[in-house]
Amino acid sequence: MMQLAFTEPAGKLSPKDFASSQEVKWCRGCGDYSILKQVQTIFPDLGVAKEDFVFISGIGCSSRFTYYMDSYGLHGIHGRALSIASGVKMANPELSVWVISGDGDSLSIGGNHFIHTIRKNFDINMLMFNNQIYSLTKGQYSPTSEKGKVTKTTPFGSVEEPFDPVALALGAQARFVARTIDSDPKHMRDVLLRAHGFRGTSFVEIYQNCPIFNDGAFELFSDKHAKKEQIILLEHGKPLVFGDAQQMGIYFQNGRPRIAPLGDPQFSEDDLWIHDETDRVKAVILGMFSRMVQDGRPFPRPFGIIFAQEGETYEAMLYAQIEAVRSRKAKMDLDQILSGTKTWNIQ
Amino acid sequence: MATGPGIKSEWIEAENIVVRFSGDSGDGMQLTGMQFSDTTAFLGNDLSTFPDYPSEIRAPSGTVAGVSAFQVHFGSSAVFTPGDRWDVLVAMNAAAFKADFPRLKRGGIVIANAAGFDRKGLSLANFPEGANPLEDGTLDGYTLYQVDFNKHTADSLKGIPLQPKEVARSKNMLVLGLLFWMFDKSMEFTVAAIRDKFLDKPDIAEANIQALKSGWNLGENMEIFTTRYVVRPASLPPGTYRNVHGNQAIAIGLMAAAEKSGLGLFLGSYPITPATDILQELSRYKSNGVLTFQAEDEIAAVCAAIGAAYAGKLATTTTSGPGLSLKTEAIGLATILEIPLVIIDVQRGGPSTGLPTKTEQADLMMAFYGRHGEAPLVVLAAKSPNDCFRMAFEACRIAIEHMTPVILLSDGYIANGAEPWRFPKADELPAIRVQFLDRTNGPDNTLLPYLRDEQGVRPWIIPGTPGLEHRIGGLEKEDKTGNVSYDPQNHEKMVRLRMQKIQNVERDIPLAELDSGTTEDGLLVVSWGSTYGAVKTAIRMLRNDGLGVAHLHVSYLNPFPANLGDILGPFQKILVPEMNSGQLVSILRSRYLVPAKAFSKVQGQPFTTEELCNAISEHYNAK
């Protein structure tokens, strides 16, 4: 072949270098655009060679993401992206593996892989776009849709309780759990950078608005005014405060979280909840905020890094075990494998 | 050890003998059978063995459900099956007798442990009150050797400091010693094996050896034993042999292919009977860098393998019928991605959970057609325990060199069965060609991930290769570029390209050849998979009787060998015996328009030579 080998242009890559030639075909106003943009924005600065990024996705609107990134990508089958990604990571731990999935893909058809991949702790970054609806099939309720949701398959309202993905991931022993939203690009970039830097399965739930089939699902958390009362931006070592003037706080008293104005004499200063990313017990409680109510008022929704504590990754332990066995047992050559231990000769 | 005829013993020369060791799960029959088989193999007999254990892990002791048996067929001529019926039945208790007496050859030998035929033993085996088959005339016309093995073992081990339980456990060695005497086989191999096994438990080793020798002496000294048998060594091709099970041979074949391709081996699997052994076997080879992944389910197992293949490993997944059902969608993905993937289906009785520990060949249609859409892939089948090695290697070679999923069909019968194997040397195995694309392959420095070579095969491009970033997926792709395309003409073109790629594999596999007979014969019997041994044996017998029957065995099922139609064509009569309701026969009839007839058996049991002989001669003689 007379072709010359392709060589990377010298110099730093730009976000454009991560945009593929394929026309992006999401609906106007879809939250997916923002996520694509933030990923392409941070990628040049991650210190990873372009050829080492791999995107694996399942099925759904979100999963088309793979086609729009100019990186290696495999658009798989419904619910199985994590399993394919785990195979890629075991085969080549040097790759930076990103899984793109939605609430239906991850939590419904792919629920089994979701809990087990998280439990096994492969070093992959999982971005789950949660729009609380099945969009690609044109509007049916999903496992994160609120109870009573009226959709094409539930014209009289759904009768089941939703999952909170954060709570589910923590229940599966996740070591990195974060939540962000399509409408806050800077927050999303910060969370994505942390997810990338974390060694182990990083689970990021991204609230993503579907303007066609579930428009406004996250309005409370994206509206400039409403969100101040409705969200807590978590920061490690900082108190859980929210409100128009950051005047409200979460206190932790007698093992229960309580909403109260800062300085409320019912609570001591020490009761104010200080966020600790490495506290799994409190992380589990944060995962329950989405369904907690105090005197008729829902708890504010936590955003940011809910839990992060590194541990050994599956692939690191897999290869360490191979090395450990090799240190006491020599590699068998093929002739030894073929002959086994007991042979006999026939003349 | 051979002493020549003793004073009292009569010698009978036999060409082939089948011994069935049958007892309670705790009686050590598997070990006894394996030791007996190893010795007969070392001494030059050809043989085939089959273990037959209950599907329950700890069925109640003494009951028919708890019977565990090991069957060995050894001979001075070639042996292709573990045997339909046995010449010698070792029955350690009444339940074992009940389970296995029906298939003892008429006039055969029963060696019964009298201690297992006491009131309790008879009652657990559900014999009517007062009935004892050893005494009620059931065995008229048979040879019965009735010995209290428990008592003899206890007597022979007096003076060795052992718990009564350990003494009782040694009785299988006494039985083995007696069998060695009866067939004039040296005890030295077993003595060495016992010493090796109980290196750090010298008392146990001595007890076992003592029991073994006592068994031999029992034959030598007890008046009742009057007959000994000689089975002369077979004239096997010279060489170095080992014993191998089908599942073990698959594991070795996969490792050999990894070595010969220079690729790392990855196995994603989920435990399922009767395929689990392959995962277990390969997980022992950590020092060779074999990556085994026990996934959370069958789907994750195959998907992880797809991910590993995409990233450049020799990726495989092992399963049985229910697992293959679960994997079908992912196999379709591998088909449209066009990546190498080896899927091993160790078939068992179906549908659904079916008969997990019994054998069947009913997944053939599923292997051919069991995916939605037009999703052709390569299908191979192994014909015997040691052929599992060759076909596993072939499956890997074809998957890699043709960038396609390959389904290899084995089944419970050959997976657990064992036979001597004249294994190859590493350097006799062919190299497997692997080339990862490392530069752009299209005009103007563009990458065409689905540009095909003259075989219709696309390049393998692994993540991490600079400058070749690209996307692949389960959506239909444009010819050459691999970009998503919904164009109707393109879809049909891609369907045909993928089919042609599989068809082209026929240039790369051996032509079909008659196993025996000629096109002049009146009937052709076509077999595939594990029925090979029984069909071959039946054909030999019939041809010896002067019947003009030919035999063709098909190992490469999709694509078929290029000349298959030419071989089938001249025959006026074709019979296809299968352990299903007639799957290959349907494919042959539709593909080649030949007058092939089915001979079906769907009982979870292999064909016996006898039923094959009857069916073949009946069809041969039919108008």
Side-chain angles (χ1 to χ4, degrees), chain A residues 1-8 19-22 25 49-56 59 64-78 80-92 95 109 112-117 119-120 122 314 318-319 321-323 325-326 329-347, chain B residues 35 38 41-44 47 193 234 236-243 252 255-256 259-260 266 284-297 299-300 303-308 310-313 329-330 333 337 389 420-421 423-427 429 438-445 461-475 483-484 486:
Chain A
M1 191 165 286
M2 291 300 290
Q3 290 287 351
L4 290 172
F6 182 89
T7 49
E8 201 70 46
S20 78
S21 61
Q22 301 299 294
K25 289 180 181 164
K50 188 180 171 191
E51 64 270 18
D52 288 341
F53 286 112
V54 183
F55 277 79
I56 310 287
I59 295 296
R64 300 295 172 96
F65 195 98
T66 297
Y67 290 114
Y68 306 142
M69 286 293 295
D70 190 18
S71 68
Y72 282 95
L74 197 165
H75 178 225
I77 45 175
H78 205 9
R80 322 300 174 201
L82 284 168
S83 303
I84 296 170
S86 63
V88 171
K89 195 67 190 177
M90 280 184 274
N92 185 356
L95 298 170
I109 193 166
N112 202 29
H113 314 309
F114 180 80
I115 56 174
H116 288 283
T117 308
R119 174 179 67 82
K120 292 183 180 194
F122 294 95
Y314 186 97
L318 178 67
Y319 283 93
Q321 190 176 61
I322 287 172
E323 286 314 310
V325 174
R326 275 182 176 161
K329 201 175 153 195
K331 177 177 188 276
M332 287 175 81
D333 71 32
L334 183 53
D335 278 314
Q336 279 176 295
I337 294 171
L338 287 163
S339 72
T341 51
K342 259 195 286 184
T343 62
W344 67 94
N345 286 303
I346 287 179
Q347 309 293 329
Chain B
Q35 282 300 328
D38 282 355
F42 292 153
L43 296 175
L47 75 156
L236 294 169
T240 310
Y241 285 74
R242 64 170 286 176
N243 215 15
I252 298 168
M255 285 189 283
E259 186 85 17
K260 286 290 170 175
F266 179 91
R284 294 171 50 231
Y285 286 87
K286 283 278 182 303
S287 64
N288 281 50
V290 175
L291 299 174
T292 54
F293 177 59
Q294 181 176 319
E296 63 269 22
D297 59 31
I299 297 171
C303 286
I306 288 172
Y310 172 59
K313 295 285 178 191
E329 189 195 9
L333 174 66
L337 292 178
F389 168 80
W421 175 35
F423 54 90
K425 286 249 177 287
D427 56 21
L429 298 170
D438 60 359
R439 62 191 68 191
T440 52
N441 59 349
D444 304 324
N445 214 17
I461 314 167
I462 59 171
T465 313
L468 303 188
E469 295 83 5
H470 67 288
R471 275 65 52 198
I472 60 176
L475 288 170
N483 289 330
V484 174
Y486 299 106

Side-chain angles (χ1 to χ4, degrees), chain A residues 148-166:
Chain A
K149 184 85 175 170
V150 174
T151 69
K152 287 175 186 158
T153 52
T154 50
F156 306 104
S158 65
V159 297
E160 46 188 274
E161 291 289 341
F163 273 137
D164 182 310
V166 163

